[in-house]
Amino acid sequence: MKRKGFKFQLIDWYIIKQFLGTFVFITVLMIAITVVFDINEKIEQFLKPEVTVSEIAFDYYANFIPYFIGLFSPLFSFITVIWFTSRLADRSEFIAMLSSGMSFNRLMLPYLLSATVIASGNFILSAYVIPKANVTRIAFQNKYIKNKEVQSGRNIQLEVEPGIFAYFDLYSAPSSMGYRFSLDHFEDKQLVSRLIANSIKYDSLNHWTIIDYIIRDFDGMRENITTGTRRDTVLTFVPSDFLISDVDCETMTSPELYRHIVRQKQRGIGNIQTFEIEYHLRYATIMSFYILTIIGLSLSSRKIKGGMGLNIGIGIGLSFAYVLFSKVSSSFAISGLVSPMVAVWIPNVLYAFITVYVYRRAPR
């Protein structure tokens, strides 16, 4: 018996049109509501004389809106499915589709195709477009709303190159000065040279000036000491390698994030969990679109006594539970209890079990 291939039907285009159209409508509606609340929250900062309307419109909100869309698109997609599928079920259109011989699995295909379109667009935005927009948005926030830039650091240690380790007791970004600096050079696990300086100043890309230093070179049992008051040198690191803000990861594209994580691990710099979470989250979000779409379809395809209101209430409740659980699981990674990749995928794994349960209870 020859197996029939998948062919687009009028009902497929109808569902895709309903899905994508409702998604755009809900996204625009949520953006409008969020912008109104955001303006109300930040009105005092926006009314400062030094803040111009063009900066608010183009530097902040023109870049805030893509960030907001990328952050909440899976939930908007979920609410979309709940909304328009409940309408179809309430008008008994689902009963007609299933009665015509179309299986529930076949009916799911246009939903998954629509989810693929949205997930693909969201990934491109999150991985390549939004990080560039976040640079301008975060700069505006740091300048006019709340400065989240890390201005100083203590007890900083990093591997400059294989076998070469740098240490700062204190580094201050406003003055570009590091204090009680040391640079140790090891060969075959033996210390061959050590530089100690009262201070060191960052001038430009990889260019540093060492002030009031002592260099001790070791050759077996012999030691050669060199002193000086000022020495220009090139070191293959910059302050941004160790002065890390929580929002820095949002300004990097996915390839930049990957290179940054690898580089920081090679240098032995800790506190990169936030970067790893952001990197893995961009890929885990793709799966969340499919999981939430199947849950939404399975929940809302049955005509129930409570009508659309009950389905929408359940959908919103599951949406907030998903966000809350994502925040909790991410905190596990930051505290070191689990790896960032595991923490990011925990909500999807849990909701996958919920997906199987509601899918089996969906009308056939």
Side-chain angles (χ1 to χ4, degrees):
M1 183 176 178
K2 190 175 180 180
R3 188 175 180 179
K4 294 181 179 180
F6 169 73
K7 290 184 179 180
F8 264 99
Q9 299 178 12
L10 188 61
I11 188 63
D12 296 315
W13 290 115
Y14 174 70
I15 291 174
I16 291 173
K17 182 180 178 180
Q18 288 287 319
F19 195 139
L20 299 180
T22 306
F23 174 80
V24 172
F25 170 76
I26 288 178
T27 301
V28 171
L29 179 63
M30 296 304 296
I31 288 172
I33 294 172
T34 302
V35 168
V36 169
F37 277 99
D38 192 67
I39 291 174
N40 183 65
E41 180 184 354
K42 298 181 174 66
I43 189 66
E44 291 185 7
Q45 289 83 1
F46 290 163
L47 291 177
K48 293 178 180 178
E50 62 269 23
V51 184
T52 65
V53 175
S54 62
E55 285 179 311
I56 296 172
F58 298 107
D59 290 351
Y60 183 64
Y61 281 112
N63 298 301
F64 170 80
I65 290 173
Y67 167 76
F68 180 78
I69 293 173
L71 191 62
F72 292 104
S73 280
L75 302 185
F76 295 161
S77 177
F78 183 47
I79 295 173
T80 294
V81 174
I82 293 284
W83 177 273
F84 87 85
T85 305
S86 295
R87 291 176 58 196
L88 295 178
D90 195 53
R91 297 195 298 257
S92 300
E93 292 185 49
F94 254 95
I95 296 175
M97 295 176 195
L98 296 174
S99 299
S100 68
M102 179 177 287
S103 67
F104 184 80
N105 290 342
R106 173 62 181 80
L107 197 58
M108 193 185 297
L109 287 177
Y111 280 86
L112 296 180
L113 287 173
S114 301
T116 299
V117 171
I118 298 174
S120 301
N122 182 77
F123 176 75
I124 293 172
L125 283 174
S126 299
Y128 299 100
V129 178
I130 294 175
K132 301 301 182 184
N134 281 340
V135 174
T136 305
R137 176 182 65 84
I138 292 172
F140 178 92
Q141 291 182 166
N142 289 339
K143 185 177 181 180
Y144 297 119
I145 300 174
K146 184 178 180 180
N147 193 351
K148 293 186 177 181
E149 289 183 330
V150 177
Q151 300 294 316
S152 63
R154 283 189 172 276
N155 299 321
I156 302 164
Q157 183 174 345
L158 68 156
E159 186 174 8
V160 180
E161 295 176 9
I164 301 177
F165 298 87
Y167 173 81
F168 295 86
D169 182 63
L170 171 67
Y171 184 85
S172 173
S175 62
S176 299
M177 292 291 296
Y179 302 94
R180 291 172 292 282
F181 173 76
S182 65
L183 190 68
D184 296 334
H185 184 193
F186 291 85
E187 290 183 1
D188 298 326
K189 299 182 179 180
Q190 297 292 322
L191 182 63
V192 297
S193 177
R194 187 177 196 193
L195 180 149
I196 303 174
N198 286 333
S199 59
I200 182 171
K201 183 176 178 60
Y202 176 67
D203 295 323
S204 57
L205 183 62
N206 296 332
H207 187 267
W208 298 77
T209 300
I210 302 172
I211 303 169
D212 295 332
Y213 64 90
I214 300 174
I215 301 176
R216 300 171 62 190
D217 294 312
F218 302 97
D219 184 10
M221 299 299 295
R222 301 178 59 185
E223 177 181 355
N224 183 37
I225 298 177
T226 305
T227 61
T229 57
R230 190 178 184 90
R231 179 172 179 170
D232 294 333
T233 187
V234 174
L235 299 174
T236 56
F237 63 88
V238 295
S240 60
D241 289 334
F242 49 82
L243 295 181
I244 301 171
S245 171
D246 291 338
V247 295
D248 287 346
C249 59
E250 298 176 1
T251 65
M252 298 182 183
T253 64
S254 289
E256 290 170 345
L257 262 178
Y258 179 78
R259 290 193 294 269
H260 178 80
I261 291 168
V262 171
R263 184 185 183 194
Q264 298 297 77
K265 284 184 175 180
Q266 289 175 343
R267 292 184 165 182
I269 299 177
N271 300 324
I272 60 170
Q273 291 92 340
T274 304
F275 292 83
E276 292 182 283
I277 289 171
E278 176 68 21
Y279 178 77
H280 293 296
L281 183 62
R282 294 178 184 179
Y283 293 93
T285 300
I286 298 174
M287 183 59 65
S288 70
F289 278 98
Y290 296 104
I291 291 174
L292 296 176
T293 295
I294 296 173
I295 292 177
L297 172 60
S298 302
L299 280 176
S300 54
S301 58
R302 188 185 301 274
K303 187 175 182 179
I304 58 177
K305 189 175 181 180
M308 288 178 55
L310 181 59
N311 283 335
I312 293 171
I314 294 173
I316 293 175
L318 285 172
S319 299
F320 280 108
Y322 182 85
V323 173
L324 177 63
F325 197 65
S326 297
K327 296 295 183 183
V328 172
S329 63
S330 296
S331 67
F332 292 158
I334 294 173
S335 62
L337 293 176
V338 297
S339 70
M341 184 177 70
V342 172
V344 165
W345 280 92
I346 284 176
N348 282 349
V349 173
L350 176 64
Y351 268 67
F353 288 106
I354 298 175
T355 302
V356 173
Y357 175 76
V358 297
Y359 169 76
R360 289 180 175 179
R361 293 177 58 86
R364 293 294 190 272

